[in-house]
Amino acid sequence: VNRTDIAVTIVGLGRVGSDVARLLMGRRGFKVVGVQSRNPNLIGRPLAEAVGFRKGKSVRITRDLLTALESHPDVVVIATTSFMAEVETDIRTCIRHGCNVICTAEELAFPWAIDRAAAERLDRFARRHGVTVLGAGANPGFITDALVLTLAGAAWNVESIQTRRVVTLARFSRTVLKRLGVGYTRRDFTTGIRQERIFGHIGFPESFGIVAKSLGKSISQVRKSYEPLMAEEEMAATNLTVRPGQTAGFIQRSEAIVKGKVWFAAEFVGHINPPAAGYDLEDRINIHGTPELSIVVAPGFDPQFTSAGVVANSITRVLDAPPGLVTVADLRPATPLPTDLGPRTSP
Ligand SMILES: NC(=O)c1ccc[n+]([C@@H]2O[C@H](COP(=O)([O-])OP(=O)(O)OC[C@H]3O[C@@H](n4cnc5c(N)ncnc54)[C@H](OP(=O)(O)O)[C@@H]3O)[C@@H](O)[C@H]2O)c1
């Protein structure tokens, strides 16, 4: 690949896809050569205009994945859904066209935890076509796995791990908010969780899997619990208004059990407006062992900046990686290259 002109196609032009597009259009050495969306309001429009990047010419948005692959991208960024079963067909199409893939589906960060046989098939398929497939994002893909492993790199011994994230959910899409569990009565939230229509934050089992594999641990069970956080007054997210008596967020606790004990405990506090509900924005990692290690990132990683940043910063490391299905723990750190963000600087 000519590193002065890396060709990228983007599949899915929601929050992350748009942010990655804008970021790459402002970055020397990258060219967005194709964009696929199923949104009828976007089809046929120039990408730059659609995502609010008003410099220069840009490719037009297409409904059809094959059209978006016609310009032979080196890497395809897939930012559509969270579930392996829903992205597998698109990933296979990209692989068949000789493209490397970075996918934001949380389950793709460590698909062996979801369906080992399917993950192994995908790995073989990617190897056969000489391309690399990576699942990456903020969490999983960076905060609760790559960063945990970086911190653990200074330890003599790791006995257990604790993480805590407090995240503003206000700028997620309506689809993502409803899937997370925002905007429901307490009863509908509880029923939705039980019936697996509401998922809370997806991706902790994947982060646990990445860290466990790297540290040589075998997880016997992953436990989860959810506590809804109710709105006392009306609260507006960008794409959803929460009324009093509806969920404005939730606390989710996930635990990975190794040899009968909690080995990795992850707490996630997600809310439309965490400070208003009494939660300070932060990301915290505690590694218990020898020595005790702890880091706090305050006011915490912004979910939109971080997700698009990790995805865009992963393009060159994916091009450098051996073929196959890989995780962020298999690759060197993600690295940003100089970026001119143009007139609009926030995601
Ligand atoms: N690993 C991580 O840390 C991380 C970080 C960020 C995001 N994610 C995940 O990545 C996905 C995208 O995030 P986002 O914030 O960009 O979500 P979003 O704003 O809802 O955008 C997703 C876009 O993909 C489209 N789409 C959904 N399902 C599709 C399908 N089966 N085929 C084609 N297009 C489809 C949607 O179209 P419609 O509007 O028509 O539904 C929407 O335009 C989400 O599932 C999110 O949970 C993971």
Side-chain angles (χ1 to χ4, degrees):
V1 174
N2 174 4
R3 289 302 163 84
T4 58
D5 211 0
I6 297 170
V8 180
T9 278
I10 295 174
V11 175
L13 208 54
R15 182 79 255 182
V16 176
S18 308
D19 288 343
V20 171
R22 210 163 35 241
L23 206 168
L24 292 180
M25 282 191 284
R27 221 172 233 195
R28 271 192 305 283
F30 294 91
K31 193 161 193 243
V32 181
V33 297
V35 186
Q36 186 269 351
S37 170
R38 66 179 187 184
N39 181 343
N41 300 323
L42 296 176
I43 311 302
R45 286 175 62 190
L47 173 65
E49 177 207 296
V51 301
F53 185 91
R54 305 204 179 278
K55 283 168 61 177
K57 281 176 65 178
S58 65
V59 68
R60 285 190 187 270
I61 300 163
T62 168
R63 187 191 302 276
D64 177 36
L65 177 58
L66 295 183
T67 312
L69 298 178
E70 268 170 6
S71 305
H72 306 292
D74 303 302
V75 176
V76 180
V77 171
I78 301 180
T80 51
T81 89
S82 299
F83 306 104
M84 185 175 174
E86 291 178 8
V87 288
E88 209 179 333
T89 306
D90 284 353
I91 293 176
R92 282 181 170 270
T93 304
C94 295
I95 294 174
R96 210 175 289 117
H97 281 73
C99 306
N100 300 283
V101 175
I102 302 174
C103 180
T104 64
E106 286 86 344
E107 290 189 349
L108 236 286
F110 194 76
W112 297 269
I114 302 300
D115 185 340
R116 171 165 288 278
E120 285 170 356
R121 278 197 304 275
L122 201 57
D123 179 45
R124 282 195 299 274
F125 194 56
R127 282 170 200 266
R128 203 176 332 130
H129 286 80
V131 297
T132 306
V133 177
L134 171 72
N139 160 212
F142 185 72
I143 302 163
T144 30
D145 34 58
L147 193 56
V148 167
L149 287 170
T150 299
L151 186 61
W156 283 30
N157 181 43
V158 175
E159 279 158 22
S160 65
I161 301 164
Q162 256 179 312
T163 61
R164 181 170 195 260
R165 302 200 62 205
V166 181
V167 182
T168 303
L169 304 179
R171 284 180 288 137
F172 285 106
S173 71
R174 189 186 166 84
T175 313
V176 171
L177 286 174
K178 294 305 267 186
R179 204 199 53 223
L180 282 167
V182 176
Y184 296 96
T185 62
R186 184 183 291 274
R187 198 168 147 195
D188 287 348
F189 178 88
T190 311
T191 315
I193 292 277
R194 200 179 51 242
Q195 296 178 345
E196 298 192 342
R197 283 183 286 106
I198 296 172
F199 297 88
H201 180 80
I202 297 172
F204 286 112
E206 288 70 19
S207 287
F208 294 159
I210 292 169
V211 177
K213 186 175 173 222
S214 299
L215 298 185
K217 299 286 177 189
S218 177
I219 296 171
S220 58
Q221 189 195 358
V222 173
R223 295 197 296 234
K224 286 186 230 171
S225 66
Y226 304 85
E227 182 187 324
L229 298 172
M230 310 309 293
E232 285 169 15
E233 53 194 50
E234 189 166 291
M235 297 189 137
T238 310
N239 301 296
L240 184 76
T241 300
V242 173
R243 292 195 302 277
Q246 292 185 327
T247 47
F250 56 91
I251 302 176
Q252 177 176 344
R253 296 182 182 88
S254 309
E255 295 176 337
I257 310 298
V258 171
K259 292 194 175 148
K261 287 197 194 142
V262 177
W263 171 72
F264 194 147
E267 184 174 273
F268 180 95
V269 181
H271 195 279
I272 297 296
N273 186 350
Y279 298 97
D280 289 335
L281 293 173
E282 66 166 22
D283 278 284
R284 186 179 285 271
I285 301 172
N286 297 320
I287 294 187
H288 303 296
T290 314
E292 295 282 307
L293 294 166
S294 174
I295 54 170
V296 178
V297 178
F301 290 98
D302 173 277
Q304 276 74 41
F305 269 109
T306 310
S307 301
V310 171
V311 168
N313 297 344
S314 292
I315 292 173
T316 52
R317 64 175 174 167
V318 160
L319 290 172
D320 289 338
L325 180 59
V326 299
T327 79
V328 287
D330 300 320
L331 306 182
R332 62 173 165 76
T335 37
L337 295 169
T339 302
D340 167 14
L341 285 170
R344 187 168 157 178
T345 52
S346 64

